[in-house]
Amino acid sequence: MAFQILINVVIAFSWMFLKNQWAFPDFIIGYFWGLVILFLMRRFLPGRFYFERVLAAGRLFFLFLRELVLANVQVIRDILRPKLKIEPGIFAMPTELKSEWEITLLSLLITLTPGTLVMDISDDNKILYIHAMNIPDADQAVAEIKNTFEKAIMEVTR
Amino acid sequence: MKVNDLILQTVTTLLSFIIIIFSVYLFFAGHYTPGGGFIGGLMTSAALVLLLLAFDIKTIRKIFPFNFMTVAAAGLLISILTGVAAMFFDVPYLTHTFGYVELPILGETALASTLIFDLGVYLVVVGIAMTIIQTIGESE
């Protein structure tokens, strides 16, 4: 990943040297041609083509924005209801993510989703303890988190 | 009772870089816009205090292996020396000057000797703030 970005920057600089123009637009043009060359040569490079990961990160960002809006609508609904219909509780959710960055990202995303809040992480970083507003929906929540956020984060990092 | 500080530590490592670059911006912005040595130093200390909150005092000692009292003293020395340097040019103590210098990459840049004085202020503020925090943190 880092190696591919480095190659891309080197191509962009070579473009600027060849054109003998030192301006930001020329760098962008060189970078674009570098992307095209890297895409054509992606079979020779180690790992995945890095721009796929950039797109996946963009998708994750929009997913995050959508969940943020939904979470706040849900909270408004819960507040304006005359009778509270919540059953709070805490459940454990095993996670397959490994690195610190992945787990932190997942925890922050879970905290911003409707009705769930990460309270603690087990010492071996394998289990997240989540406080839910409606504990009967916990299994459904686990399935949803696994299908959306974990998948999206893995798309970016693996 | 040991808690897993994974989220706090990961977010702190990212945030401290942003806070430190903001403090550097504030330090250099002081001549024409709000900012300067004092607020830049306080902002750097804030980043270090955030690291202290997320990690423990031994880790910070390992990463920044200097005595903060020495930092404060060095800053005071720099500030005094910029004042004394003015007296060699037959102008009163603490007179500051500025000039336009041709630098190799940046082209024509206005350099003021006030910046060196501000660097001294910056070091004094960082040194004193960190000394206070560490002294309070260590006393049981």
Side-chain angles (χ1 to χ4, degrees), chain B residues 34-114:
Chain B
F38 185 78
I39 189 69
L42 274 184
M43 201 54 94
T44 305
S45 315
L48 294 176
V49 169
L50 184 65
L51 284 168
L52 271 176
L53 286 175
F55 300 91
D56 54 340
I57 214 156
K58 284 194 187 73
T59 319
I60 305 299
R61 280 268 166 80
K62 209 176 287 176
I63 298 171
F64 300 101
F66 29 74
N67 185 353
F68 281 103
M69 282 195 189
T70 322
V71 172
L76 204 56
L77 198 66
I78 289 171
S79 293
I80 290 171
L81 284 180
T82 50
V84 172
M87 294 161 80
F88 290 112
F89 298 99
D90 286 339
V91 283
Y93 176 68
L94 277 180
T95 307
H96 284 283
T97 178
F98 72 96
Y100 292 97
V101 187
E102 281 287 341
L103 290 177
I105 296 172
L106 301 172
E108 194 175 279
T109 319
L111 289 182
S113 65
T114 323

Side-chain angles (χ1 to χ4, degrees), chain A residues 89-110:
Chain A
I90 299 169
F91 65 93
M93 191 194 92
T95 176
E96 295 158 37
L97 299 174
K98 292 281 183 293
S99 76
E100 290 183 1
W101 279 106
E102 290 170 333
I103 293 170
T104 304
L105 202 57
L106 181 68
S107 311
L108 296 178
L109 286 170
I110 289 172

Side-chain angles (χ1 to χ4, degrees), chain A residues 26-90:
Chain A
D26 294 289
F27 182 82
I28 298 227
I29 293 166
Y31 200 87
F32 168 76
W33 285 118
L35 261 183
V36 172
I37 293 164
L38 274 176
F39 180 72
L40 294 173
M41 310 268 281
R42 68 189 181 280
R43 300 264 178 272
F44 299 98
L45 293 164
R48 286 165 56 201
F49 178 52
Y50 86 91
F51 204 69
E52 281 177 20
R53 294 185 183 198
V54 177
L55 292 176
R59 273 199 295 274
L60 184 64
F61 180 69
F62 280 111
L63 182 72
F64 158 74
L65 285 182
R66 199 193 73 192
E67 291 292 342
L68 190 66
V69 172
L70 283 179
N72 286 302
V73 167
Q74 179 120 21
V75 169
I76 291 170
R77 276 211 336 244
D78 275 337
I79 291 171
L80 294 181
R81 209 176 271 152
K83 270 187 181 168
L84 266 186
K85 285 203 299 187
I86 56 171
E87 288 181 52
I90 299 169

Side-chain angles (χ1 to χ4, degrees), chain A residues 100-101 103-104 107-108 118 120-125, chain B residues 1-11 13-14:
Chain A
E100 290 183 1
W101 279 106
I103 293 170
T104 304
S107 311
L108 296 178
V118 175
D120 203 2
I121 302 170
S122 67
D123 285 338
D124 55 359
N125 297 342
Chain B
M1 173 73 195
K2 198 182 158 297
V3 276
N4 194 346
D5 284 337
L6 180 108
I7 298 175
L8 179 67
Q9 287 177 355
T10 315
V11 173
T13 43
L14 177 66

